[in-house]
Amino acid sequence: MKKAGHRSRNIGRIAAGLAAVAGMLAGGASPTQAASDRPVPVTSFSYTSETGHDLGKGAAEKFRDPAVPITIGGTTERVQMTVEVPDRTWRIRLQAPTGETLRPGVFRNAEATPPLGRAPGLDLSASTSGCSEVYGQFTINQFATDESGAVTLLDASFTHRCGAADGPALKGVVKYRALPLSFAYSSDEGDWVGKGTSGTYKGATSLFSVSSWGVQTVFHVKGNRSSWSVMLMAPQGETLQAGRTYQAGSGGDALATLNFSGNGRACNGPEGEFTVHRLIKDENARVTGLWVTFTQRCQGSTAESSGTVRYYA
């Protein structure tokens, strides 16, 4: 629990921030976009393969549109990505189990399409070369379609084996107009919040959100039997800005506020630093994109926890 004096300063900062936003809107000024270098959605295909895989042949490659033309088609039940490399054409097809639709999650025991039963489908081909007996799985981190059912977003990874469940593997990643969405952290053994653990959270297993009001921004992630929050506030009289590193603590108004907490544990008087790499706001000054790295210590401790927040930025 935070000390009362620190809590009072935070309440004052929130009130000041709300007043500043209200004044800006009343005056007709548009809120400042915190980062001019808005993230560019990525469309790409990359893979690594073990020696002996019929298609990968031990190679590793990465292709990114528009340098290499990549197109996508399909429905909520199945999607196919086509990658036009100069010497061959890669095709990757993902299909939901019979009667289901594609969604964020893990799809195990995939077979060649169309699957014989209720298995998910996975096909991989390079020009005329393919595989009739597939053993694999795929993970979808992000997936969306428009009102017509056309695919508008895909972020997925897969493992493909041909002919045998223990055959050589090709592991690939496909992205279509995807932005980063993840949280990763690590902690020292003596850190009260992280307790020496580490973790990575993606859309296949976790839910993410960002809330902001005034000068306070809070990132939340839930998944993998855990729940974490990262609360950020600029020093008094300021707002968070992209491209800045902030020193955080409870020693005065010149310091920012950082509070990484989770699973019922929070610091008393957290201190450390955080860097805002990218910050995107809408017309109402609400945060819609966030890329932050941080390091935190509980008051009086040298043990640290650190993390990276990527929320559509």
Side-chain angles (χ1 to χ4, degrees), residues 21-32 283:
V21 172
M24 178 172 57
L25 295 177
S30 60
T32 301
E283 63 276 8

Side-chain angles (χ1 to χ4, degrees), residues 217-232:
T217 296
V218 184
F219 169 80
H220 301 277
V221 57
K222 296 179 180 180
N224 297 341
R225 297 168 295 281
S226 296
S227 176
W228 303 102
S229 296
V230 181
M231 191 270 280
L232 307 169

Side-chain angles (χ1 to χ4, degrees), residues 163-175:
D166 59 353
L170 182 148
K171 297 184 177 182
V173 176
V174 289
K175 295 179 183 288

